[in-house]
Amino acid sequence: MFNTFYQQIATNQLSHWLTTLPAQLEQWQKNHLHGEYGKWLKTLEALPATEYSTLDLKDSVTVGAADDIPEGQRKRIEALLKNFKPWRKGPFHIHGLHIDTEWRSDFKWDRLLPHISPLQGRTVLDIGCGSGYHLWRMRGEGAEFVVGIDPTQLFLMQFQAIQHFIKDPKVNLLPLGVDDLPALKTFDTVFSMGVLYHRKSPIDFLQQLKAQLRPGGELVLETLVVEGDEQTVLVPGERYAKMRNVWFIPSADALMFWMRRLGFKNVRMVNTDQTAFEEQRKTDWMDTESLQDFLDPKDSNKTIEGYPAPLRAIFIAEA
Ligand SMILES: Nc1ncnc2c1ncn2[C@@H]1O[C@H](C[S@+](CC[C@H]([NH3+])C(=O)[O-])CC(=O)[O-])[C@@H](O)[C@H]1O
């Protein structure tokens, strides 16, 4: 699955990654495959080969038109892709099939795009990229080479399914966690969105992000925040909005204080947004609980546990 990736990085600014990456991914393939992995691969292999008449990655992720393929084939694609539920991050449009994901990840993209340095010609990394929705949008903005990492293997399958139709070797997802990355110090832009609050050690995490950037490279960081001053951080109890793995939710000022303390330059917050039901909801492609079930039914400004409801902020800084 990764040979084309190795071939490509052999000739670009990432070639030094070849000293560790192949052995790491070989280990992963030997020892860490999900129990369903073999079944998932069969599903991927069963996807029909199609040719697309149109491709849009600039305003959406849309590959092919409805009349490129017969109706029966679209039904077959739908049935196969439903094996990869839950589809959380999207949406995707494949030959007229709308994968209506839990999240409208395009909303987040629209919030950040006006504020970042143009991606044209850049080599970019997205840490914790989920199904890779934003990887496609980065490529749509002209990024030369796009790498996402995410340790959740189902999301790798979802990515490969979309890649099956788009067929763009410049867009890649590797099944790694942030701790698996050496200090590559080479990316022009590093994104990490929706990951910091899952980390038990957010300061170390910020340092790991910095270590992926070339000097002067740009970090785009998105995370949950709370209201408060430089010294305010919420460490929720066992759950936050029913999520078990939430550790640190700083105020925007506290987070910017940490970033400056670590040597990031020109740190600024460019957007805050309280998540609305239109952005995160139950769909045919993710039919278990969603935001509606995570908030207090009597007061949507509170989580079901009584904490402030999810407020998300986007930060930009330079290494
Ligand atoms: N150690 C780790 N290293 C890297 N990623 C990890 C790790 N642990 C978990 N993840 C991944 O981080 C992603 C977080 S989701 C944000 C998706 C996208 N960025 C978005 O902005 O829509 C938001 C949420 O689930 O709260 C998941 O895909 C995990 O698999």
Side-chain angles (χ1 to χ4, degrees), residues 20-255:
T20 52
L21 186 64
Q24 224 172 0
L25 288 175
E26 203 174 309
Q27 270 306 310
W28 171 83
Q29 217 136 11
K30 250 196 219 141
N31 301 322
H32 299 287
L33 291 189
H34 190 280
E36 302 278 291
Y37 196 83
K39 206 179 92 193
W40 289 339
L41 276 189
K42 288 213 175 73
T43 302
L44 277 183
E45 282 158 14
L47 287 170
T50 65
E51 294 294 326
Y52 59 79
S53 58
T54 56
L55 175 67
D56 171 44
L57 301 176
K58 177 112 181 134
D59 298 308
S60 66
V61 180
T62 301
V63 54
D67 54 17
D68 296 343
I69 60 170
E71 178 62 19
Q73 202 166 49
R74 186 168 28 262
K75 287 251 151 64
R76 168 121 183 95
I77 294 170
E78 175 169 4
L80 288 166
L81 294 185
K82 287 226 161 124
N83 289 317
F84 295 144
K85 282 201 325 189
W87 283 82
R88 294 194 182 281
K89 314 291 171 167
F92 301 100
H93 300 267
I94 302 171
H95 294 294
L97 171 67
H98 175 198
I99 304 183
D100 187 12
T101 49
E102 177 190 18
W103 284 85
R104 290 290 307 266
S105 306
D106 50 328
F107 290 8
K108 190 183 286 189
W109 188 250
D110 291 344
R111 289 196 292 270
L112 69 83
L113 191 59
H115 305 288
I116 66 174
S117 298
L119 294 179
Q120 190 65 44
R122 289 196 164 214
T123 293
V124 303
L125 174 67
D126 186 2
I127 297 183
C129 63
S131 65
Y133 176 82
H134 296 123
L135 303 179
W136 299 110
R137 301 298 302 271
M138 291 167 198
R139 182 72 170 144
E141 289 301 316
E144 169 58 26
F145 195 68
V146 182
V147 185
I149 65 159
D150 200 293
T152 304
Q153 295 179 30
L154 180 65
F155 301 157
L156 173 66
M157 294 299 129
Q158 295 175 348
F159 170 79
Q160 288 293 344
I162 304 300
Q163 179 63 289
H164 168 88
F165 295 101
I166 298 183
K167 304 182 263 280
D168 183 348
K170 299 285 180 77
V171 182
N172 295 275
L173 193 161
L174 305 174
L176 301 173
V178 64
D179 294 329
D180 300 320
L181 291 174
L184 291 166
K185 294 197 169 78
T186 187
F187 288 95
D188 301 308
T189 306
V190 169
F191 292 81
S192 190
M193 308 190 280
V195 183
L196 183 126
Y197 49 89
H198 292 314
R199 303 303 296 163
K200 281 189 187 164
S201 184
I203 305 272
D204 289 340
F205 178 66
L206 290 169
Q207 241 163 348
Q208 288 168 315
L209 301 183
K210 192 159 174 259
Q212 304 312 319
L213 283 164
R214 63 159 165 84
E218 187 168 89
L219 174 68
V220 181
L221 178 71
E222 193 257 10
T223 192
L224 292 172
V225 293
V226 289
E227 301 290 348
D229 66 16
E230 249 176 26
Q231 298 301 329
T232 308
V233 184
L234 170 68
V235 178
E238 209 164 294
R239 285 171 184 250
Y240 172 85
K242 295 199 181 171
M243 288 185 282
R244 261 184 234 279
N245 53 354
V246 175
W247 296 96
F248 289 84
I249 309 183
S251 72
D253 282 345
L255 181 52

Side-chain angles (χ1 to χ4, degrees), residues 287-301:
D287 46 24
T288 55
E289 291 191 318
S290 191
L291 185 61
Q292 190 114 48
D293 311 287
F294 305 153
L295 299 183
D296 180 339
K298 286 191 230 80
D299 179 0
S300 61
N301 289 315

Side-chain angles (χ1 to χ4, degrees), residues 258-277:
W258 300 349
M259 291 168 81
R260 289 188 190 108
R261 182 82 170 65
L262 291 169
F264 280 103
K265 306 265 171 0
N266 198 10
V267 180
R268 68 259 189 217
M269 181 174 74
V270 297
N271 178 270
T272 49
D273 181 81
Q274 185 167 329
T275 307
F277 294 126

